[in-house]
Amino acid sequence: MKTKTLAPPTEEIGSANAALNFDGLDEVLGFHVRQAQGTMHRRLIETLASVDLTQKQAGALWLVGANPGTSQIGIGGALRMDRATTMAIIDRLEGRTLVVRQRSTVDRRRHELYLTPDGQKLLVQVKKLSREHELKFSDRFTAEELKTLIDLLGRIYG
């Protein structure tokens, strides 16, 4: 097995130019998935800071907008979050008057989620910011490569 040396991303090492021997770590799939996810996540955090949302909050807002009347459990399941995290996110969005909870008329134990007019306006901004963010990464691939990458990554978590 050939061992490569990789220099850490410039923004994380400042002026240091030392390369590290990764001793095979650079051949571990999880390492590369985590590096890619971390890079995209950090940049998305910076992007969403302009509208004072976290990635999970933006995802929840997006899903509620696309699925009016959905439940917290549905949102949490789709975003792979536990109940406590999901409730905290919905509480935060509700506190900002972006989302409202309404008791279901079909199942009184269930709360349905809807965007408020402010939530709908913010969602338009979030989608625009997300498209701009995505282009910074998706433009590095052809349409066919991007589809293949998405399909391949889906095999890991699907």
Side-chain angles (χ1 to χ4, degrees):
M1 174 165 28
K2 184 179 176 194
T3 301
K4 295 184 268 183
T5 58
L6 299 176
T10 305
E11 69 263 11
E12 294 186 20
I13 61 167
S15 61
N17 290 324
L20 296 176
N21 176 345
F22 276 54
D23 191 28
L25 178 61
D26 55 326
E27 296 175 17
V28 175
L29 173 63
F31 172 77
H32 289 283
V33 170
R34 178 65 182 108
Q35 293 291 81
Q37 187 275 336
T39 298
M40 291 188 76
H41 182 72
R42 280 189 305 278
R43 295 197 180 143
L44 185 58
I45 287 170
E46 294 166 6
T47 299
L48 292 174
S50 67
V51 290
D52 192 28
L53 288 176
T54 66
Q55 182 179 15
K56 288 181 181 181
Q57 291 167 353
L61 189 74
W62 198 314
L63 289 177
V64 172
N67 303 279
T70 191
S71 67
Q72 283 183 195
I73 292 171
I75 297 297
L79 296 177
R80 298 176 185 225
M81 299 183 300
D82 61 62
R83 285 180 173 220
T85 301
T86 304
M87 185 165 48
I89 287 169
I90 299 302
D91 285 348
R92 170 97 163 119
L93 295 174
E94 188 177 41
R96 290 183 58 189
T97 65
L98 301 172
V99 169
V100 294
R101 289 179 174 106
Q102 293 179 359
R103 178 100 40 209
S104 170
T105 57
V106 177
D107 181 352
R108 302 290 295 158
R109 296 169 297 173
R110 182 174 177 261
H111 282 97
E112 297 173 344
L113 302 172
Y114 298 92
L115 293 185
T116 64
D118 285 347
Q120 291 169 356
K121 279 194 277 188
L122 186 57
L123 181 56
V124 169
Q125 284 182 272
V126 166
K127 287 181 176 183
K128 180 181 181 293
L129 291 169
S130 294
R131 275 190 301 276
E132 292 167 359
H133 171 264
E134 282 290 308
L135 282 174
K136 292 174 185 171
F137 298 97
S138 63
D139 277 357
R140 300 172 188 196
F141 304 97
T142 66
E144 186 177 323
E145 288 173 331
L146 187 59
K147 182 185 179 327
T148 300
L149 178 59
I150 290 169
D151 290 344
L152 292 173
L153 289 171
R155 289 186 198 174
I156 293 173
Y157 66 86

